């Protein structure tokens, strides 16, 4: 008996060590062999599921950037290899995806996820394994900074929601002269809840009044009961900080019910699927904040739009641009680090300065956030029309 116990204890210890080894990778993440001719980079992306167009565009942007860099000789004489993992637009799958990328594929950095909730679900694994993550598009402040501390291994290439929410509150109050607003929040998304707070605060400070706040959940199909209440509130604008699948259904049903006021949103609206789901006409009198516009005449934007169109036969949306920019941020950091070593890359990323990218010039502050401009897009007969650029 005693003997058996002794052996099972050893067995347990061995198993625990193996699990720890698996989870922790080789500390410092995927250390490639010193003579490796490749640098492996992971993508933790929403390739299927509720926001699949976001993940796919991001992957397209990253691949285009790597192709250009590799054609020019690579980084530090090595070719970049992109290994993507599908997080299916779900937080638990995002944790699985990043674990696989780090422990099995031994990537030196991970690009993604797109959605705040999915990036947050990857933070612990990245931090434990000491592998840097750059989110192209997760805009919630908590992604890189929480509880008064910057998360050492997490970075982003986009502006944050306090800026984007303020931009839209200003637009409602100053450009549209709105005095009253209703906010319709996706309660399953950290992104949506954060934006709700910022919009309400800024709009109120500007003298406006939020007359009603309603909520829904991702995957909801029928919004009519709540939209009937929203219609009765008769506000000057309705703010819907959410993702295109639900926004599309909401906009369609809102117009069917006779809500004619301007509908306002944020970067989660930016998908070719939006007009397909809502209908082009329903989106008229709709405006949202975004990271870039393909109509921008900046030479770098023009060059990028041309290259992307040639490669994929479509106009790049903001995720395409930010995917490209995120990849270029990493390339810049690896060059300055002088080695494809996760910890050196993380230090170099934190020092990113005056880097000219498609979506603007990136200098990271101490919270790992770039301070960048936003654009406001107007929906006109299903097409995105550049309305204005707002500097921070
Ligand atoms: N900003 C969103 C988030 O943080 C994701 C997103 C980015 C959506 C860009 C659309 C376009 O969850």
């Amino acid at each position: 008996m005693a003997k058996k116990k002794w052996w099972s204890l050893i067995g347990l210890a061995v198993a625990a060590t193996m699990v720890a080894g698996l989870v922790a990778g080789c500390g410092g993440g995927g250390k490639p062999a010193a003579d490796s001719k490749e640098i492996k980079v992971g993508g933790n992306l929403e390739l299927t599921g509720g926001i699949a167009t976001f993940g796919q565009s991001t992957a397209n942007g990253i691949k285009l950037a790597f192709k250009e860099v590799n054609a020019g000789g690579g980084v530090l004489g090595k070719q970049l290899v992109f290994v993507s993992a599908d997080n299916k637009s779900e937080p638990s799958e995002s944790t699985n995806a990043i674990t696989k990328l780090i422990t099995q594929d031994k990537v030196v950095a991970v690009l993604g996820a797109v959605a705040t909730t999915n990036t947050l679900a990857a933070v612990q694994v990245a931090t434990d394994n000491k592998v840097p993550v750059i989110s192209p598009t997760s805009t919630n402040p908590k992604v890189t900074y929480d509880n008064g501390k910057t998360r050492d291994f997490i970075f982003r290439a986009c502006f944050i929601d306090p800026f984007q929410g303020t931009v839209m509150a200003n637009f409602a109050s100053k450009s549209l002269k709105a005095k009253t607003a209703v906010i319709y929040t996706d309660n399953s998304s950290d992104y949506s809840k954060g934006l709700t707070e910022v919009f309400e605060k800024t709009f109120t400070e500007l003298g406006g009044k939020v007359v009603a706040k309603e909520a829904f959940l991702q995957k909801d199909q029928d919004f009519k009961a709540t939209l009937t209440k929203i219609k009765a509130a008769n506000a000057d604008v309705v703010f819907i900080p959410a993702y295109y699948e639900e926004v599309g259904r909401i906009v369609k049903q809102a117009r069917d019910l006779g809500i004619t006021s301007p509908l306002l949103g944020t970067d989660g609206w930016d998908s070719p699927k939006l007009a397909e789901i809502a209908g082009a006409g329903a989106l008229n009198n709709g405006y949202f904040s975004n990271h870039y516009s393909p109509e921008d005449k900046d030479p770098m934007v023009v060059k990028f739009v041309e290259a992307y169109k040639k490669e994929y036969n479509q106009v790049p949306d903001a995720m395409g641009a930010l995917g490209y920019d995120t990849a270029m941020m990493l390339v810049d950091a690896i060059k300055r680090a002088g080695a494809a070593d996760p910890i050196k890359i993380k230090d170099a990323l934190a020092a990113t300065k005056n880097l000219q990218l498609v979506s603007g010039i990136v200098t990271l502050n101490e919270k790992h956030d770039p301070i960048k401009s936003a654009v406001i897009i107007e929906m006109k007969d299903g097409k995105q029309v550049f309305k204005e650029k707002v500097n921070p």
Side-chain angles (χ1 to χ4, degrees):
M1 277 302 257
K3 202 172 176 187
K4 198 171 167 198
K5 243 189 196 160
W6 187 79
W7 277 112
S8 54
L9 267 182
I10 296 242
L12 261 183
V14 170
T17 316
M18 280 168 62
V19 170
L22 251 187
V23 173
C26 16
K31 284 209 175 107
D35 60 350
S36 167
K37 298 218 162 31
E38 292 178 343
I39 298 175
K40 263 198 203 174
V41 176
N44 168 13
L45 296 173
E46 289 80 345
L47 298 174
T48 60
I51 52 170
T53 71
F54 292 168
Q56 290 159 6
S57 294
T58 308
N60 285 346
I62 295 169
K63 286 187 207 154
L64 177 63
F66 281 9
K67 190 176 169 187
E68 288 177 3
V69 171
N70 284 338
V75 193
L76 308 176
K78 298 175 196 231
Q79 293 284 296
L80 295 162
V81 176
F82 182 56
V83 190
S84 66
D86 180 12
N87 66 33
K88 304 181 184 149
S89 306
E90 307 273 353
S92 59
E93 294 289 346
S94 168
T95 312
N96 295 342
I98 191 167
T99 305
K100 176 202 164 272
L101 290 167
I102 294 177
T103 60
Q104 289 181 28
D105 301 318
K106 310 264 185 246
V107 299
V108 299
V110 176
L111 309 181
V114 169
T116 288
T117 312
N118 299 334
T119 305
L120 285 174
V123 163
Q124 197 61 46
V125 178
T127 306
D128 290 349
N129 289 280
K130 302 192 165 50
V131 173
V133 160
I134 317 174
S135 169
T137 47
S138 292
T139 42
N140 186 290
K142 273 191 297 193
V143 168
T144 57
Y145 183 87
D146 195 33
N147 273 328
K149 266 199 74 183
T150 300
R151 300 189 200 266
D152 280 344
F153 283 87
I154 318 293
F155 301 85
R156 74 175 110 223
C158 52
F159 55 62
I160 56 175
D161 289 333
F163 175 60
Q164 156 166 239
T166 304
V167 165
M168 288 318 284
N170 268 312
F171 179 72
S173 175
K174 295 180 183 160
S175 302
L176 298 177
K177 311 266 179 263
K179 299 267 176 289
T180 54
V182 171
I183 307 180
Y184 199 12
T185 308
D186 171 358
N187 258 353
S188 39
S189 142
D190 297 309
Y191 159 75
S192 190
K193 289 188 281 190
L195 279 161
T196 298
E197 267 175 46
V198 178
F199 183 92
E200 181 172 23
K201 181 166 175 283
T202 313
F203 189 67
T204 311
E205 280 167 8
L206 290 166
K209 190 167 189 300
V210 174
V211 290
K213 282 164 82 179
E214 300 292 343
F216 64 91
L217 293 174
Q218 256 155 50
K219 303 202 169 107
D220 280 358
Q221 300 292 326
D222 188 347
F223 303 86
K224 294 223 174 64
T226 316
L227 286 171
T228 305
K229 283 200 242 165
I230 291 178
K231 186 180 178 195
N234 198 20
D236 295 336
V237 294
V238 182
F239 181 54
I240 316 166
Y243 299 130
Y244 64 89
E245 286 263 351
E246 287 77 19
V247 172
R249 294 195 280 273
I250 290 169
V251 168
K252 179 174 191 325
Q253 293 172 32
R255 296 302 193 213
D256 285 350
L257 279 173
I259 297 177
T260 53
S261 58
L263 304 175
L264 309 183
T266 43
D267 59 350
W269 283 38
D270 182 23
S271 169
K273 284 264 156 76
L274 180 69
E276 270 174 43
I277 300 169
L283 279 166
N284 284 341
N285 211 9
Y287 305 86
F288 66 96
S289 49
N290 210 359
H291 302 270
Y292 114 117
S293 163
E295 290 174 33
D296 198 324
K297 292 293 166 261
D298 177 278
M300 187 149 175
V301 176
V302 173
K303 191 169 157 249
F304 164 73
V305 171
E306 253 170 42
Y308 192 101
K309 273 201 206 148
K310 196 165 155 226
E311 190 77 14
Y312 304 111
N313 206 14
Q314 68 192 45
V315 177
D317 54 16
M319 272 72 54
L322 284 169
Y324 183 91
D325 283 356
T326 308
M328 289 306 192
M329 251 175 96
L330 178 66
V331 167
D332 169 70
I334 298 176
K335 276 189 200 154
R336 283 184 294 106
D341 171 78
I343 295 184
K344 288 189 181 146
I345 295 173
K346 165 262 312 162
D347 291 336
L349 275 171
T352 301
K353 221 175 156 178
N354 285 330
L355 184 63
Q356 173 72 59
L357 298 173
V358 174
S359 61
I361 297 168
V362 170
T363 297
L364 292 187
N365 69 12
E366 69 291 346
K367 294 181 181 170
H368 295 177
D369 298 327
I371 309 299
K372 296 162 74 184
S373 50
V375 297
I376 295 177
I377 305 281
E378 176 176 3
M379 293 305 297
K380 266 196 187 151
D381 300 325
K383 299 244 150 41
Q384 292 193 6
V385 179
F386 175 72
K387 179 105 182 137
E388 58 190 77
K389 192 164 192 166
V390 186
N391 291 318

